[in-house]
Amino acid sequence: MLSKKIEEVLNKQIRIEAESSQVYLAMACWAEVQGFEGVAQFMFAHSDEERMHMLKLVKFVNERGGHAQISELAAPPTEFGSFKNMFETLFNHEVMVSQSINDLVHITLEQRDYATHNFLQWYVAEQIEEEALARNILDKINLIGDDKGGLYLFDNDVKQLVAAGTNAPQ
Ligand code: OFO
């Protein structure tokens, strides 16, 4: 059974995951209209992953005697300026999500809720992978700079990642 406090903080996380899904969907659209098919596919897949992260929390809250709240979401930006800027935004967003998960884990220990603590370990591992992936991509983008040919090859590389199923860890 979840305490009111844990239910409340898990519901906050549900909203963060839902907003993450929206942010990556907006990035997918921005990349797609510019003809960067690989990056768009990557972002569409990433958006789906975030929805899955949200659903996992929704189920957990409901199964543990709480009530998952589906709330309104902040609208993400529609313009990202450049790929470098977009992937920097993605990386910073994931760092923010990791911080939020860390805070959650801390609260479960304070509240001696070991079941939720155990459940959250999946998210802890997931965030390590997501941050590493975002950092890798950002490193590549920084090497390429604004070179058009480089960006074209980068887009193809990302397409391969999506095809190999390694774009967004489960
Ligand atoms: Fe990419 O963040 Fe969910 O957990």
Side-chain angles (χ1 to χ4, degrees), residues 13 16-17 20 24 46 49-51 53-54 57 93-94 97-98 101 122-123 126-127 130:
Q13 192 63 32
I16 289 176
E17 300 294 341
S20 301
Y24 299 140
H46 204 149
E49 293 291 331
E50 298 299 348
R51 182 175 157 77
H53 297 172
M54 178 202 66
L57 279 156
H93 189 86
E94 288 303 333
V97 173
S98 299
I101 297 285
W122 183 89
Y123 288 85
E126 175 72 9
Q127 282 314 116
E130 293 217 344

Side-chain angles (χ1 to χ4, degrees), residues 90-104:
L90 183 147
F91 177 68
N92 291 332
H93 189 86
E94 288 303 333
V95 170
M96 180 279 284
V97 173
S98 299
Q99 188 55 53
S100 174
I101 297 285
N102 278 349
D103 292 346
L104 257 176

